[in-house]
Amino acid sequence: MSHVEVLVSVLRWEYLTLGLLVFSAALAARDDGLVRTWLFAFALAAGFGIHLAGIGLTGGRPGPLFRIAWGAVVGLSAALVLGTLGGALGVGVKRLATK
C-alpha cells in the first residue's frame, strides 16, 4: 500500500464535503454573506486538489502547471457548489433564528 493510498483512505472526500458545508454555514451565519464562504471553500478544496493533483488522471507524476490547474478546477467547483449551499444554509438558519 503506497503513501497516497493511506492518505486518501484517511482524508476521505465525504469528510471534506461535510466539513466544508458545516464550516461554510457557520462562516456565512457569522458574516451574513457568501463572499468569505466562497473564498474559504475555494482555498480548502484547492489545497487538497493541488496536493492530490488528480492522482489517477495522468498515470504519471503531474507537473506544476497541471497541479495548479487541477487545484483551480477543484477549488472553483467546491466554492460554487458547497460554498453556496453551505452559505445559504447558514444565512437561512441565522435569519430564521433571529425572527
Side-chain angles (χ1 to χ4, degrees), residues 10-64:
V10 172
L11 297 174
R12 303 210 32 113
W13 288 107
E14 296 89 5
Y15 301 143
L16 175 64
T17 303
L18 182 64
L20 275 172
L21 280 174
V22 169
F23 286 116
S24 293
L27 188 61
R30 181 181 169 267
D31 288 343
D32 224 7
L34 290 176
V35 175
R36 285 191 183 174
T37 303
W38 287 329
L39 290 173
F40 169 74
F42 176 81
L44 189 64
F48 274 104
I50 288 173
H51 181 66
L52 296 178
I55 294 171
L57 292 178
T58 62
R61 185 180 172 116

Side-chain angles (χ1 to χ4, degrees), residues 63-86:
L65 186 60
F66 179 80
R67 284 178 176 255
I68 292 169
W70 181 253
V73 167
V74 170
L76 283 174
S77 301
L80 290 176
V81 176
L82 299 174
T84 302
L85 182 61

Side-chain angles (χ1 to χ4, degrees), residues 93-99:
V93 167
K94 181 180 180 181
R95 290 191 181 157
L96 284 175
T98 57
K99 283 189 176 185

